[in-house]
Amino acid sequence: MATEDERGTTKVLVITPDSLGKRMAGPAIRAWEMATVLSDVADVRLVSTVAADLESTRFPVGFADEATLRGHVAWADVVVFQGHVLSSFPWIKRAPVIIVADIYDPMHLEQLEQTVGMPEDDRLRAILETAEVLNDQIERADFMMCASEKQRDFWLGQLAAVYRVNPFTYGDDPSLRRLLSVVPFGIQDQPPVQRTHGIKGVVPGIAETDKVILWGGGIYNWFDPITLIEAVELLSARHDDVRLFFLGAGHPNRHVPKMEMVTKARDLADAKGLAGTSVFFHDDWVPYNERADFLLDADLGASTHFEHLETAFSFRTRILDYLWASLPIVTTDGDTFAGLVREHGLGRVVPPVDAAALADALESVLYDEAESAAITERVREFAETMRWRKVLAPLVEFVKDPHPAPDSPLTLLTPRTRIIADLQTRIRGMESSTSWRVTLPIRLVKDVISPSAGRSRRRRGAGGTR
């Protein structure tokens, strides 16, 4: 830990639209860990726009309403934020601060799944508004962070669409890594320590000798707990000691709606007679500092999902906890972690929606002691590459030398940004013409649904669930 004299003089404000407390979801965990690591090199404050009930000896932590947030932003040299913060408080875009956008969660892809079943107009509005929330961020940010190289390619396309790939950003760095870098979710530097059992011998129906498959997070609509429950049913016919434990059937952030998939998973377990015998749901969200009690009671970590766009560009943060606890992993193919599991021998990868293949993979890892031990050792070695202090290195380096992007509005009076502003104005003027609307009907749809929105009316949401 750096002393006050060793820390830099840069003032960094980290803002999350997620709840900071004993029970935290992915966005809040990420914000907390960023603040912790950055406090070695900068003067840091961490605030939540929803709720905060945490303390740190390294930096102030608190809840910020709009008035309080204005004071924090006025104090800061650099603002690091997630989710809907910029759209909920649009005046931040005009503040004379350097802005870092944490876009590790492609929320607009989540919305494609989360809004299934909504009325058509509401669904289209939600998806378009979320895309515009993200466009707001990447148009203004001086530095951006995403979760993987594949995700970075995706974001570069969106950056190009909003004119951020231009001669000035390219001239500053032809790789554009000074503008957009890969900063994945990480794991704690300290190893997990179990203070008491969280599952085995504690949950009625789960003995200390049972084999526990852990679902280590929320049950969201873009996941596939259904196939996993079906696989456990098949496996239970061969082994009477297999248990599936869903760790997060609820959510600590009141702004995250209950997902339909939670109900479907519970109903299926009930219908098959597995609930309370082979399949178990933990209704509460486990406190962040107590999750090791549950992780270290598991024999395997599972992550199953469907084959769709959200999967392709996702980064399953729950798997980081599996790595932290040295758990073998069984996962569905198609996402970034499936490639890592396959490449580094961290477990088994199975096709989507294939209960038989999934049951076989679970069986081989749970009941082949030699294979399980070898996988555990490889997981332990790979986990060292994902420590928070390693993965956050690009952000730390930026904060050590913070600078506006070469096309930033902070330098709006310079000739280069006047050129960009003029081009943007002329192009957006074309959007209002009849011919432009004919060639790009999605703009017409957006105008009809939200004619005055532009980027002024935004929902104040949690900004993702990862």
Side-chain angles (χ1 to χ4, degrees):
M1 181 188 301
T3 65
E4 286 190 20
D5 291 337
E6 293 171 328
R7 293 175 188 168
T9 57
T10 303
K11 298 189 286 288
V12 180
L13 174 65
V14 180
I15 311 173
T16 179
D18 207 2
S19 300
L20 292 167
K22 292 180 179 180
R23 293 171 171 82
M24 295 192 291
I29 292 169
R30 186 168 167 91
W32 173 266
E33 297 294 349
M34 284 194 294
T36 300
V37 172
L38 289 175
S39 66
D40 279 342
V41 298
D43 187 2
V44 175
R45 295 179 184 178
L46 171 63
V47 300
S48 166
T49 58
V50 177
D53 186 23
L54 281 181
E55 293 183 355
S56 172
T57 58
R58 300 167 64 91
F59 47 85
V61 185
F63 164 74
D65 58 16
E66 182 152 2
T68 308
L69 190 60
R70 286 183 182 273
H72 286 306
V73 172
W75 164 85
D77 301 311
V78 178
V79 172
V80 183
F81 77 94
Q82 308 163 322
H84 289 70
V85 167
L86 208 61
S87 56
S88 297
F89 307 98
W91 50 266
I92 295 176
K93 292 184 289 186
R94 301 184 294 274
V97 293
I98 293 170
I99 291 183
V100 177
D102 187 12
I103 52 175
Y104 84 108
D105 181 4
M107 301 181 295
H108 47 343
L109 301 186
E110 284 183 0
Q111 286 291 312
L112 293 169
E113 286 296 317
Q114 189 169 336
T115 58
V116 171
M118 289 175 58
E120 184 176 323
D121 286 356
D122 292 342
R123 187 180 189 216
L124 190 53
R125 181 183 295 110
I127 291 169
L128 291 175
E129 285 187 353
T130 305
E132 289 294 273
V133 164
L134 289 163
N135 283 339
D136 260 356
Q137 298 178 22
I138 64 180
E139 284 178 343
R140 172 60 179 89
D142 298 293
F143 182 65
M144 287 159 275
M145 302 176 290
C146 62
S148 67
E149 289 294 338
K150 183 174 183 178
Q151 213 184 73
R152 185 173 185 271
D153 289 341
F154 173 80
W155 286 118
L156 283 172
Q158 194 153 340
L159 283 170
V162 297
Y163 328 116
R164 292 303 306 276
V165 179
N166 56 59
F168 309 120
T169 54
Y170 184 82
D172 181 59
D173 173 19
S175 73
L176 266 73
R177 290 192 183 273
R178 279 169 57 87
L179 183 65
L180 173 63
S181 189
V182 175
V183 180
F185 215 85
I187 63 176
Q188 290 172 269
D189 292 332
Q190 304 80 10
V193 176
Q194 188 174 51
R195 294 169 294 182
T196 185
H197 285 290
I199 302 175
K200 291 185 175 181
V202 176
V203 177
I206 303 181
E208 292 187 14
T209 55
D210 286 339
K211 300 288 188 180
V212 174
I213 302 165
L214 184 69
W215 176 282
I219 304 173
Y220 306 130
N221 290 352
W222 44 91
F223 288 127
D224 179 19
I226 303 304
T227 301
L228 181 57
I229 291 171
E230 292 172 345
V232 167
E233 181 185 31
L234 294 174
L235 191 55
S236 296
R238 307 196 290 259
H239 302 276
D240 61 7
D241 61 345
V242 64
R243 303 289 184 266
L244 170 60
F245 189 81
F246 287 94
L247 188 60
H251 199 282
N253 190 335
R254 65 181 184 273
H255 291 285
V256 174
K258 182 179 179 179
M259 302 281 175
E260 183 183 2
M261 190 57 74
V262 177
T263 302
K264 288 183 176 180
R266 286 184 179 277
D267 288 349
L268 180 65
D270 287 337
K272 290 183 173 294
L274 301 174
T277 57
S278 298
V279 179
F280 300 81
F281 296 89
H282 188 68
D283 292 326
D284 204 358
W285 197 269
V286 173
Y288 184 53
N289 291 330
E290 297 175 17
R291 72 196 193 286
D293 297 340
F294 293 79
L295 289 163
L296 295 178
D297 264 353
D299 298 282
L300 178 153
S303 180
T304 51
H305 44 253
F306 299 106
E307 185 177 11
H308 48 49
L309 197 58
E310 187 278 337
T311 291
F313 294 100
S314 66
F315 194 84
R316 306 301 187 200
T317 57
R318 67 194 58 206
I319 292 183
L320 276 304
D321 269 349
Y322 300 162
L323 296 177
W324 185 52
S326 301
L327 291 178
I329 299 162
V330 173
T331 185
T332 309
D333 207 353
D335 67 354
T336 296
F337 259 113
L340 294 174
V341 169
R342 185 182 289 110
E343 179 182 356
H344 298 278
L346 309 179
R348 290 294 189 90
V349 178
V350 298
V353 198
D354 189 335
L358 181 55
D360 290 345
L362 294 170
E363 184 176 38
S364 67
V365 176
L366 284 174
Y367 294 97
D368 185 328
E369 293 185 5
E371 180 180 4
S372 180
I375 292 172
T376 297
E377 183 57 34
R378 290 193 292 269
V379 170
R380 186 177 291 114
E381 291 175 1
F382 181 76
E384 292 302 316
T385 68
M386 301 299 294
R387 301 291 181 188
W388 277 114
R389 293 186 184 279
K390 289 187 178 181
V391 300
L392 287 171
L395 176 61
V396 171
E397 291 306 308
F398 181 83
V399 165
K400 285 181 178 178
D401 180 26
H403 49 271
D407 59 345
S408 168
L410 289 182
T411 52
L412 194 57
L413 296 180
T414 64
R416 62 177 57 183
T417 49
R418 277 207 305 270
I419 293 170
I420 292 175
D422 180 61
L423 285 172
Q424 289 178 341
T425 299
R426 280 188 282 165
I427 290 172
R428 283 172 179 157
M430 293 174 65
E431 293 179 6
S432 64
S433 71
T434 303
S435 60
W436 189 263
R437 287 171 185 266
V438 169
T439 56
L440 288 181
I442 192 63
R443 292 289 181 181
L444 177 59
V445 171
K446 185 176 71 178
D447 289 345
V448 169
I449 289 177
S450 186
S452 63
R455 302 206 173 105
S456 62
R457 295 188 298 148
R458 300 293 176 239
R459 297 176 304 155
R460 298 192 180 192
T465 54
R466 300 182 187 285

